[in-house]
Amino acid sequence: MSKSYGGSDLAVRDLDLVIPTGSFMCLLGPSGCGKTTTLRMIAGLEQPSSGTIEVDGRVLDSVERGLYVPPEKRRMGLVFQNYALWPHLTVLGNTEFGLRMRKVPAAERRERAIEALRMVRVDDAMERYPAQLSGGQQQRVALARMLAINPSVLLLDEPLSNLDARLRLEMRAELKRIHEESGTTVVFVTHDQLEAMTMATDVAVMEAGRLQQVAPPMEMYHRPANRFVAEFVGSPPMNLPSGALAESLLRCAGAGSGVGVRPEALRLGDPEPGAWQEEAVVEAVLPAGSSWTVRLRVLDGELFALSFRELDVEAGQKVRVWARRGQVHVFDAEGVRV
C-alpha cells in the first residue's frame, strides 16, 4: 500500500508487509520515515492512497474495491504516546471505558477490567485517579484499557518515549511479558533500536517511506540488508569507512564497493591468522562503566572499537586493530549487502 498527502511525495511507498498472527512486530526508523502513518492506516485513522489492508482474511481497506472499515469496527486497540486517561475516572473506570462504549454488561465489564489490570500489575491502584499515579503506572493503565477489550491487534505508537530511562527498561520487560502471556498480535512503532531489538519477534525497518528489511532482531543485526539498516541498527553504529581504510578492509573481506564493521567486532592486540589487521593510533578512550569505547585513527580514516572488558590503552598509543574476516560486511554500489 501507499499513502500520499497530495503532490508527488509519498509518506509510505509500496509497502508490502505481512505481520504473523501472535507476533510482536516493531516498525523501526527515524522521524518522518512513515512508520506512524503505517500504524494509523492499520488502525483506520488514515486511509491508504492505494493498496489493501487485510487482517485474518478480512479486508479492512481496499482503495480499488472502495472498501473501508471504520476504526471502532476493526477490533484493534491503540495506545498513543500520550496516555489520554480520563482525569475524573478512577483507574478501574478508565479501564472499563472501552467496554462501556461497547455496551458490555456491568459484571463482565468489571471482571475483564480487573483481569487486564492484574496483567499489567496495577490492580492494587484500582480506586485511584490518574493524577495519583506515576508516569509508568499511567502507561500501564492505558495498556490495560486496550487489553480489556480483547483486541485482535494491539497497536502501540511510541508509548514509552515519555518515561525516564528506568521506567522504559521496566516497561520493555513488562510489554514482552504481557505479549507472551496474552498471545495478542502487537505492532509497535519506535525510533529506538534498543526497544525494537529487546522486545520484537520481528523488526521492520523503514526509511523515507520505504520498507528496507523485515527480519528477527538478531538476524537483522548480523545480516543487515543494506548500508542504511547496518548503520541504523546497533549501538554504537557500524563503522562505514571510505578511502584507503575501506580498501584495506575490502582486500580482506572480498569484492564490493562499500564496507562496514561493527565496533564490538574490532579487537586490539595480536590478531588471529587470516584476520583483517592494521596499525592504529588511539585517539580517545571513553569508559562507560560496563563497556569501553576507543576511537582509533587507522590509515586515512577513523574507527570506533567497543570492548566489554577494561582496556589498558591510552591516547597517543600505537596498537594493532583487527577483526575476523566473517565480521566485515560488504555492500555493492547501491548499498545492498553482498
Side-chain angles (χ1 to χ4, degrees):
M1 64 181 176
S2 297
K3 177 64 178 179
S4 171
Y5 290 101
S8 58
D9 290 337
L10 291 173
V12 176
R13 299 169 178 267
D14 302 320
L15 178 64
D16 185 3
L17 177 63
V18 175
I19 301 174
T21 300
S23 66
F24 194 129
M25 173 69 76
C26 271
L27 303 181
L28 174 67
S31 296
C33 71
K35 56 189 185 296
T36 293
T37 300
T38 299
L39 191 82
R40 289 175 65 84
M41 286 193 287
I42 296 171
L45 301 177
E46 303 266 5
Q47 287 186 264
S49 303
S50 63
T52 300
I53 298 174
E54 186 177 310
V55 177
D56 291 334
R58 179 188 178 207
V59 176
L60 302 182
D61 256 309
S62 175
V63 178
E64 289 74 16
R65 293 164 59 184
L67 292 176
Y68 168 70
V69 176
E72 66 273 14
K73 295 183 178 179
R74 296 195 176 201
R75 288 196 60 239
M76 295 183 182
L78 180 58
V79 179
F80 294 98
Q81 182 177 342
N82 186 322
Y83 314 134
L85 299 178
W86 295 106
H88 64 288
L89 295 180
T90 64
V91 165
L92 183 59
N94 268 284
T95 309
E96 288 183 329
F97 185 79
L99 298 171
R100 188 186 297 272
M101 293 298 99
R102 287 164 173 76
K103 297 181 169 44
V104 174
E108 181 185 349
R109 190 169 69 224
R110 181 179 176 85
E111 181 182 350
R112 285 169 61 176
I114 291 174
E115 178 57 32
L117 289 169
R118 283 187 183 135
M119 186 173 287
V120 299
R121 298 178 178 172
V122 286
D123 52 304
D124 58 345
M126 286 190 295
E127 300 307 320
R128 296 184 194 172
Y129 290 88
Q132 298 173 301
L133 305 178
S134 68
Q137 287 174 316
Q138 290 184 44
Q139 184 63 78
R140 289 170 192 243
V141 174
L143 188 58
R145 181 175 56 192
M146 291 299 102
L147 290 171
I149 65 173
N150 192 26
S152 60
V153 181
L154 184 60
L155 307 173
L156 306 173
D157 188 8
E158 302 207 44
L160 310 185
S161 58
N162 287 340
L163 304 180
D164 62 35
R166 183 181 179 86
L167 281 175
R168 280 201 303 274
L169 179 62
E170 290 179 1
M171 283 304 298
R172 283 201 293 266
E174 282 298 289
L175 283 171
K176 193 164 187 173
R177 177 187 64 80
I178 290 165
H179 171 254
E180 290 169 353
E181 288 184 5
S182 68
T184 302
T185 303
V186 177
V187 184
F188 185 101
V189 163
T190 183
H191 64 274
D192 186 331
Q193 56 98 13
L194 183 59
E195 287 183 358
M197 296 293 286
T198 53
M199 292 192 295
T201 57
D202 296 281
V203 179
V205 174
M206 299 182 69
E207 193 263 335
R210 294 188 183 278
L211 187 63
Q212 302 294 314
Q213 185 176 3
V214 183
M218 294 314 296
E219 180 183 330
M220 182 170 290
Y221 179 81
H222 290 300
R223 296 187 60 81
N226 54 44
R227 283 173 62 99
F228 176 82
V229 176
E231 191 170 21
F232 195 81
V233 175
S235 181
M238 181 182 286
N239 295 291
L240 295 167
S242 58
L245 176 53
E247 290 173 9
S248 172
L249 282 158
L250 283 169
R251 280 196 297 273
C252 175
S257 299
V259 67
V261 59
R262 294 203 179 277
E264 54 270 34
L266 293 172
R267 293 167 172 80
L268 305 183
D270 296 330
E272 292 179 356
W276 170 81
Q277 58 173 302
E278 286 288 354
E279 185 176 89
V281 177
V282 175
E283 291 194 329
V285 180
L286 310 170
S290 61
S291 64
W292 284 259
T293 301
V294 182
R295 188 174 70 190
L296 303 163
R297 174 59 54 180
V298 186
L299 299 175
D300 61 345
E302 185 177 76
L303 293 176
F304 284 89
L306 179 68
S307 174
F308 294 99
R309 62 179 180 83
E310 189 167 358
L311 296 173
D312 185 21
V313 295
E314 58 184 24
Q317 183 177 340
K318 289 185 177 180
V319 295
R320 207 75 191 166
V321 60
W322 62 276
R324 294 184 178 122
R325 182 173 180 173
Q327 292 178 312
V328 179
H329 301 263
V330 181
F331 306 97
D332 65 18
E334 281 72 46
V336 177
R337 180 187 177 87
V338 175

